[in-house]
Amino acid sequence: MSAIAVHQFAQCITCHAWSPDHSMIAFCPNNNEVHIHKLVEDKWERIHVLQKHDQIVSGIDWSIRSNRIVTVSHDRNSYVWNKEGADWMPTLVILRLNRAALCVQWSPRENKFAVGSGAKTVCICYYEQDNNWWVSKLIRKRHDSSVTSVAWHPNNILLATTSTDGKCRVFSTFIKGVDTRGSGTSSAGDTKFGEQIVQLDLSFCWAFGVKWSPSGKTLAYVGHNSMIYFVDEVGPAPSAQTVAFRDLPLRDVLFVSERMVIGVGFDCNPMVFAADERGLWSFLRFLGERKISSSGAKYGSQFSEAFGKLYGQSKHGISNDIGEASRSRGGIHENCINCIVPVKKEGQSTNTRFSTSGLDGKVVTWDLENQGDLSEYL
Amino acid sequence: MAGHAGFVEADNAEAIITRIEHKSRKIESLLKQYKPVEALKTALEGSPPKTRDERCKSANWIVVHRAIMAIKDVEGMFSSLDPEYYDILMKYLYRGLSTGDRPTCDQCLRIHEKLTERAGLGCILRSLSDTVNTV
């Protein structure tokens, strides 16, 4: 079994992030708070509640080296939380948005973070030593709709975004005084802030969940049309592959290696995509165990299941703790998965662990070790 | 879809109509030879016509409709229809269902059931979410 830990933290989780040593988890239980839990003697205990936002927290990222938490919310603000003594102290970052902030990610060097928003803009925030202040620089007039996801290239300069206008774009985020010339690759070193490197126009509907491969050579993102897109040679002449699959659309993706991608979404069960020796991507299998039933029966049961949910919502109480055998769809998650995060220690080359959270309020940790058929792609 | 040789300019409606007429004659002759699956493939090729012109879309729909209605053995059809046609066929099934015509709906529902078994919910999602290449 590839799921090594299942924990029901809340009724619904919008996003989650791990502390650098993975002893703590920060998540938003679908409200304006961020809860931090710590593993104490095999039990998760709530040790902090970060209360500063006014509306739902839509993104959390916890930096590995500097041990800082950044949160963004539908209230259009962002906070950077620093641990001072026993408490987490917030610093307000004024994003200058007129719509909700939707996603956030620290850059690889942790000197910048990017925020995607419903205002059709991306904010690149960096710390200004002189003023003791986080400054937000905006990339405007590039997106035709909300920015649903952001992903940093390992070179700390390039940023990929997906949007509900169906496009995936790559920008330069070079900031004078923060980045040094030649710090990235040669092609990225001489670009201006906000310059669009490429616009990928593969999807005709909403795009979500963009990620770079560990080396930054390949880009993957998903569409709301049950397709996943893989892009090589991101630049003037990108080469793209599209893979259509037979199940419900994905919301987020994660590269576990150059040749393997995990996709999570409305099918409640992580999907494994892998590239063969020639670099051709295809759907491999589901990661969780799945009831094997004839498809006809499956659709029938889904309908009755949906009706059951409609009329019997009250039975969805908070059932704390581990190991509740899932009844509904034969998977571990019982609702849409909308967040996938690597569980990675710094300096580790291969990473086989990741965690997922979703609308069912569970956080599931997965390990791909001992998955015989997948080991060749790691 | 399914690699048609001649990519047509969006405003070139007359050329599209001519091509659809040609396709229609080909389909008739295939149906006379009792090759309904070949006829359906021919109908789906080059569909949807890459244009916003409703006249072209209707003309193409009439041709596809003719081919869909000629399918008698649905299981047999899927054993020789390649998966590359699934997405576009799903779109035309929904167009058929939207007509409200009883025999058309019956036929489309029958094919829809088998197609969903084969191509999954993803196929339905693709046909619903694509608002650009409408049929």
Side-chain angles (χ1 to χ4, degrees):
Chain A
M1 189 67 190
S2 47
I4 53 170
V6 183
H7 200 84
Q8 181 91 40
F9 281 109
Q11 271 190 293
C12 176
I13 291 179
T14 54
C15 50
H16 75 283
W18 294 93
S19 69
D21 62 354
H22 309 122
S23 64
M24 287 183 276
I25 183 170
F27 65 88
C28 167
N30 202 27
N31 61 12
N32 62 333
E33 298 171 346
V34 174
H35 292 192
I36 299 180
H37 285 231
K38 189 181 169 93
L39 190 62
V40 182
E41 292 167 0
D42 296 336
K43 277 197 80 176
W44 288 97
E45 282 178 12
R46 190 161 82 192
I47 53 167
H48 293 288
V49 177
L50 310 185
Q51 276 173 314
K52 205 71 183 158
H53 286 293
D54 300 327
Q55 287 174 31
I56 285 180
V57 177
S58 48
I60 305 174
D61 200 11
W62 199 326
S63 66
I64 295 177
R65 268 164 286 165
S66 48
N67 194 33
R68 275 195 290 244
I69 300 175
V70 59
T71 57
V72 296
S73 157
H74 288 187
D75 66 12
R76 304 171 308 194
N77 281 327
S78 169
Y79 287 95
V80 175
W81 305 78
N82 277 296
K83 187 104 195 266
E84 287 171 15
D87 293 322
W88 286 96
M89 302 308 288
T91 312
L92 175 67
V93 184
I94 297 177
L95 298 173
R96 297 187 289 142
L97 294 174
N98 57 3
R99 296 284 189 284
L102 300 176
C103 51
V104 66
Q105 205 185 15
W106 284 107
S107 75
R109 291 212 188 117
E110 303 176 0
N111 57 352
K112 300 185 277 188
F113 64 87
V115 180
S117 77
K120 309 181 189 176
T121 52
V122 179
C123 312
I124 310 296
C125 304
Y126 60 97
Y127 188 69
E128 237 177 41
Q129 202 81 48
D130 305 342
N131 303 323
N132 185 21
W133 190 252
W134 286 87
V135 182
S136 163
K137 246 182 131 162
L138 268 61
I139 300 177
R140 285 181 207 272
K141 291 182 182 167
R142 296 291 192 176
H143 297 87
D144 296 325
S145 192
S146 298
V147 179
T148 54
S149 183
V150 291
W152 287 95
H153 189 277
N155 71 10
N156 209 49
I157 301 285
L158 296 182
L159 181 82
T161 65
T162 50
S163 167
T164 43
D165 61 12
K167 294 176 178 70
C168 175
R169 298 175 175 89
V170 178
F171 296 101
S172 163
T173 67
F174 185 88
I175 295 172
K176 239 185 229 165
V178 177
D179 298 296
T180 45
R181 293 276 169 200
S183 64
T185 60
S186 56
S187 62
D190 49 344
T191 49
K192 287 202 295 284
F193 177 85
E195 189 177 325
Q196 186 170 291
I197 309 296
V198 67
Q199 172 174 311
L200 299 157
D201 202 356
L202 302 169
S203 173
F204 291 112
C205 57
W206 300 340
F208 292 104
V210 63
K211 288 279 160 52
W212 296 91
S213 69
S215 71
K217 281 195 189 104
T218 314
L219 188 68
Y221 70 102
V222 294
H224 206 54
N225 51 354
S226 292
M227 299 254 232
I228 181 164
Y229 305 93
F230 298 94
V231 185
D232 282 315
E233 289 157 62
V234 178
S239 70
Q241 286 178 47
T242 50
V243 177
F245 46 89
R246 52 166 296 141
D247 297 283
L248 295 177
L250 297 173
R251 277 305 294 267
D252 205 356
V253 289
L254 179 75
F255 274 91
V256 284
S257 74
E258 289 295 322
R259 292 176 57 205
M260 184 156 55
V261 165
I262 308 292
V264 295
F266 293 92
D267 230 82
C268 316
N269 201 342
M271 296 183 198
V272 183
F273 296 88
D276 63 12
E277 300 80 31
R278 292 165 297 159
L280 290 177
W281 288 89
S282 59
F283 170 68
L284 213 61
R285 67 171 171 92
F286 282 100
L287 201 55
E289 276 158 15
R290 198 181 171 85
K291 265 187 303 205
I292 298 156
S293 58
S294 75
S295 2
K298 190 181 126 199
Y299 292 117
S301 70
Q302 268 176 14
F303 273 117
S304 52
E305 197 184 291
F307 272 112
K309 275 186 186 153
L310 202 63
Y311 294 115
Q313 276 176 336
S314 56
K315 70 180 172 186
H316 271 271
I318 310 172
S319 54
N320 259 316
D321 248 304
I322 330 165
E324 188 198 348
S326 55
R327 317 137 292 174
S328 49
R329 301 194 56 186
I332 291 165
H333 278 289
E334 287 162 10
N335 209 331
C336 172
I337 311 173
N338 55 15
C339 183
I340 178 167
V341 176
V343 183
K344 180 166 66 175
K345 293 203 170 73
E346 203 192 349
Q348 205 176 23
S349 58
T350 56
N351 173 43
T352 57
R353 284 195 182 189
F354 56 90
S355 63
T356 56
S357 72
L359 305 186
D360 59 354
K362 285 179 183 168
V363 173
V364 181
T365 310
W366 308 78
D367 197 340
L368 298 177
E369 241 164 28
N370 310 322
Q371 296 281 306
D373 58 327
L374 301 181
S375 57
E376 60 169 308
Y377 300 104
L378 285 172
Chain B
M1 282 312 287
H4 192 270
F7 177 80
V8 212
E9 297 293 315
D11 53 347
N12 202 351
E14 286 311 313
I16 297 174
I17 295 286
T18 317
R19 185 166 60 81
I20 294 170
E21 278 169 358
H22 174 74
K23 196 158 82 170
S24 172
R25 280 193 294 276
K26 197 172 161 194
I27 288 164
E28 288 305 329
S29 88
L30 283 167
L31 288 179
K32 279 202 190 91
Q33 300 163 45
Y34 300 104
K35 287 180 181 163
V37 182
E38 290 303 313
L40 184 61
K41 280 186 193 170
T42 312
L44 294 178
E45 255 160 52
S47 300
K50 291 183 175 62
T51 170
R52 293 192 177 277
D53 190 299
E54 283 305 319
R55 207 160 50 97
C56 297
K57 287 186 179 176
S58 306
N60 205 58
W61 159 241
I62 291 165
V63 174
V64 176
H65 178 249
R66 173 87 178 93
I68 287 177
M69 294 309 281
I71 299 286
K72 296 282 182 290
D73 173 15
V74 177
E75 285 286 354
M77 172 189 80
F78 280 111
S79 59
S80 52
L81 188 73
D82 304 317
E84 65 192 83
Y85 294 100
Y86 288 173
D87 285 1
I88 187 67
L89 177 59
M90 187 61 94
K91 286 191 181 192
Y92 278 105
L93 291 182
Y94 277 103
R95 170 143 195 178
L97 289 169
S98 73
T99 61
D101 170 52
R102 187 65 192 265
T104 309
C105 288
D106 282 352
Q107 175 76 347
C108 286
L109 277 176
R110 210 159 39 234
I111 300 175
H112 186 278
E113 188 194 351
K114 299 288 170 205
L115 182 58
T116 312
E117 261 176 41
R118 281 182 176 259
L121 298 174
C123 181
I124 297 178
L125 254 303
R126 281 189 285 282
S127 71
L128 295 181
S129 60
D130 188 349
T131 52
V132 178
N133 296 315
T134 51
V135 296

